Amino acid sequence: MNETIQVMLGHRSIRKFKDAPVAKEQLDVIIEAAQHASTSSNMQAFTVIRITDAGLREQLAVLAGNQAYVSQCPEFLVWCADLHRYERAGARALPEGEEPRSTTENFIVATVDAALAAQNAAVAAESLGLGIVYIGGLRNNPRQVSELLRLPQYVYPVFGMCIGVPDQEPLVRPRLPREAILHENGYCEERIDPAIDQYNVTLSDYMSERTNGKAATSWSQAMAAKKDAPRLHMREFLYGQGFRLE
Amino acid sequence: MNETIQVMLGHRSIRKFKDAPVAKEQLDVIIEAAQHASTSSNMQAFTVIRITDAGLREQLAVLAGNQAYVSQCPEFLVWCADLHRYERAGARALPEGEEPRSTTENFIVATVDAALAAQNAAVAAESLGLGIVYIGGLRNNPRQVSELLRLPQYVYPVFGMCIGVPDQEPLVRPRLPREAILHENGYCEERIDPAIDQYNVTLSDYMSERTNGKAATSWSQAMAAKKDAPRLHMREFLYGQGFRLE
């Protein structure tokens, strides 16, 4: 097994970092790796906002649901889906008044482009011995985040990412059985329930070990609990940012 | 610069493959890498469908816009955003009749989860000396693709991926200037137009070199041309699959 694959198989989210900066050369190469990810039709429909201002970090940490590591981590990046640059670029080559339309399709493209780039950044960081965690909590208050970061129309924050030298060694979390994820020539419905049964036990055991027996949460319980954080504001927020899910 | 970062910086899409299979051990490790990507709240909201049936490959190649490499490549994977398994899992721990809701937020989570996993697979494949190309063309006819693959409600094909030993050596495509992509503490609007100017020249030169002077397409021209393939069916298709962008 090569070094690259070892890095990926060793991934676990890091939420506690040493008080050591990420070197400029490291950040440079992390961003370069992000830029080299695949992108739909070369749209490169993402922007990264590096947050170095301490006050801004504090505000983002609160908006993300009081996640202290957002303010404390050495580097915090906000990954945005960005159709603004694409619209500006395309408008130059279109007849006056015509511009690329904001659609569900473009929304998917921009969201995927941001995710592919971010994942390259994550792997690059981990290959340098750094740890990362994605911060979906930025979608708790996306309008406020967008205002703070002066995001123009057609740009939205998909997630944040903390980066730094790990100061904890969490276990790698077990995943669903492979047969639940990888199907052949068609969706295999019969595999789903047995896989959930099996994974409920696996995850419950893992959670029990991780919490010294305090919380043996199964996967079903964890997924049911997601119902309490539905972020029902996302559509209205996205329309406010100019996105059209039409 | 380490091996992992070299792999990422060397990425170029491969559309012509040698007539050599991807070894089972390689595919196994590619899928394992995919499963170890970050996932929002451990939802693991994606499924991969490996297409080994030659007839099915032919049909998908046509539906993706007559992309012959979809039928000819050694391995073809369809990456699906999957909220079906999540709903099934959560329903067990919720009162009868209650189930997790399909929302814009969940749609984002599942699309992002599929993209993060796929990008790990792409990097894993490239680290093994294989080449890949994402096939967004599956969204040209997503309903037909979903029927062929018997996708249940709450599952949709985000993109495909061809994998195999490269039989071509395309140039790495230059990206937007870094300052267009990486901003600090807020979106820097003033950088956008100059970056587009600069990149129009860079890309036009690159395209000219790649096509022996036949097509010196600028980025603006390429982005404007996207207007002709808007995939306006995506919303209706997604609603048909049970997704609610509300």
Side-chain angles (χ1 to χ4, degrees):
Chain A
M1 193 181 303
N2 67 39
E3 180 185 303
T4 304
I5 287 164
Q6 272 174 19
V7 165
M8 289 189 278
L9 299 190
H11 166 73
R12 63 277 180 274
S13 293
I14 296 296
R15 294 180 177 82
K16 190 159 181 274
F17 301 94
K18 290 193 174 150
D19 187 19
V22 174
K24 183 184 176 306
E25 299 68 35
Q26 291 183 317
L27 186 65
D28 282 352
V29 85
I30 288 167
I31 297 299
E32 203 177 346
Q35 287 203 261
H36 277 79
S38 291
T39 158
S40 180
S41 304
N42 198 30
M43 282 173 64
Q44 303 179 61
F46 72 96
T47 287
V48 196
I49 303 187
R50 179 187 179 211
I51 312 296
T52 54
D53 181 274
L56 197 48
R57 283 277 204 105
E58 291 286 353
Q59 290 176 283
L60 292 174
V62 172
L63 290 172
N66 289 311
Q67 302 195 53
Y69 33 96
V70 168
S71 59
Q72 291 159 2
C73 61
E75 288 288 344
F76 184 68
L77 304 177
V78 179
W79 295 87
C80 302
D82 186 341
L83 292 172
H84 171 62
R85 208 170 37 225
Y86 154 74
E87 299 242 6
R88 284 290 276 267
R92 297 189 187 196
L94 286 168
E96 178 105 7
E98 270 192 64
E99 57 175 35
R101 290 173 59 172
S102 185
T103 60
T104 299
E105 162 66 11
N106 281 348
F107 176 76
I108 293 171
V109 163
T111 303
V112 166
D113 268 13
L116 300 183
Q119 187 56 17
N120 260 20
V123 173
E126 291 178 339
S127 81
L128 296 166
L130 301 169
I132 67 108
V133 62
Y134 280 87
I135 305 293
L138 289 187
R139 297 195 305 276
N140 289 351
N141 294 288
R143 191 177 55 75
Q144 294 87 329
V145 169
S146 302
E147 284 169 6
L148 278 175
L149 303 184
R150 306 185 302 278
L151 301 187
Q153 291 277 290
Y154 311 125
V155 181
Y156 88 94
V158 188
F159 40 66
M161 182 185 284
C162 301
I163 310 180
V165 178
D167 194 25
Q168 60 180 176
E169 273 302 333
L171 299 170
V172 173
R173 195 203 305 253
R175 299 308 201 200
L176 278 160
R178 170 178 308 194
E179 60 271 22
I181 291 285
L182 179 64
H183 301 207
E184 194 167 334
N185 294 321
Y187 199 94
C188 186
E189 183 61 44
E190 307 86 72
R191 294 183 185 179
I192 304 304
D193 279 338
I196 294 172
D197 285 335
Q198 186 183 332
Y199 191 54
N200 274 340
V201 175
T202 308
L203 199 68
S204 180
D205 289 350
Y206 163 83
M207 290 304 291
S208 182
E209 187 177 343
R210 187 163 157 173
T211 62
N212 291 320
K214 279 181 214 148
T217 317
S218 75
W219 193 53
S220 283
Q221 287 167 332
M223 294 304 99
K226 285 280 299 168
K227 200 164 170 292
D228 300 328
R231 295 181 184 144
L232 295 177
H233 52 259
M234 282 306 292
R235 178 190 168 89
E236 192 182 340
F237 156 70
L238 288 166
Y239 271 67
Q241 283 299 109
F243 290 92
R244 293 292 171 264
L245 305 179
E246 311 294 344
Chain B
M1 194 182 301
N2 67 38
E3 179 185 302
T4 304
I5 286 164
Q6 273 175 17
V7 165
M8 289 188 278
L9 299 191
H11 165 74
R12 64 276 179 275
S13 294
I14 296 296
R15 294 179 176 83
K16 190 159 181 277
F17 299 95
K18 291 193 174 150
D19 187 19
V22 174
K24 183 183 176 308
E25 298 70 33
Q26 291 183 319
L27 186 66
D28 282 351
V29 85
I30 288 167
I31 297 299
E32 203 177 345
Q35 287 203 260
H36 277 78
S38 292
T39 160
S40 181
S41 303
N42 199 30
M43 283 173 65
Q44 305 179 59
F46 72 97
T47 287
V48 196
I49 304 189
R50 179 187 179 212
I51 312 296
T52 54
D53 181 274
L56 196 48
R57 282 279 204 104
E58 292 285 352
Q59 290 175 284
L60 292 174
V62 171
L63 290 172
N66 289 310
Q67 301 196 54
Y69 33 97
V70 167
S71 58
Q72 291 159 2
C73 62
E75 287 289 343
F76 186 67
L77 304 177
V78 179
W79 294 88
C80 302
D82 187 340
L83 292 172
H84 171 63
R85 207 169 39 224
Y86 155 73
E87 298 242 6
R88 285 289 276 266
R92 297 188 186 195
L94 286 169
E96 178 107 5
E98 269 192 65
E99 56 176 35
R101 289 174 59 171
S102 184
T103 59
T104 299
E105 163 66 12
N106 280 348
F107 176 75
I108 294 171
V109 163
T111 302
V112 166
D113 268 12
L116 300 184
Q119 186 56 18
N120 259 20
V123 173
E126 291 179 338
S127 81
L128 297 167
L130 302 168
I132 67 109
V133 62
Y134 280 87
I135 305 292
L138 289 186
R139 297 195 306 274
N140 289 351
N141 294 288
R143 191 177 54 75
Q144 293 88 330
V145 170
S146 301
E147 284 170 7
L148 277 175
L149 303 184
R150 305 185 301 277
L151 302 187
Q153 292 277 290
Y154 309 125
V155 180
Y156 88 94
V158 189
F159 41 65
M161 183 184 284
C162 302
I163 310 179
V165 179
D167 194 24
Q168 61 180 176
E169 272 303 334
L171 299 169
V172 173
R173 196 202 305 253
R175 299 307 202 201
L176 278 160
R178 169 179 308 194
E179 60 271 24
I181 291 284
L182 179 64
H183 301 207
E184 193 166 333
N185 294 323
Y187 199 94
C188 187
E189 183 61 45
E190 308 85 72
R191 294 184 186 179
I192 303 305
D193 280 338
I196 294 172
D197 285 335
Q198 185 183 334
Y199 191 54
N200 274 338
V201 175
T202 308
L203 200 67
S204 179
D205 289 350
Y206 163 83
M207 289 304 290
S208 182
E209 187 177 342
R210 188 163 156 174
T211 61
N212 291 318
K214 280 182 214 149
T217 317
S218 75
W219 194 52
S220 284
Q221 288 167 332
M223 294 304 99
K226 285 281 298 167
K227 202 164 170 291
D228 301 328
R231 295 179 184 146
L232 296 176
H233 52 259
M234 281 307 291
R235 179 190 167 90
E236 191 181 340
F237 156 70
L238 289 166
Y239 273 66
Q241 283 298 110
F243 290 92
R244 294 289 171 267
L245 304 179
E246 311 295 345

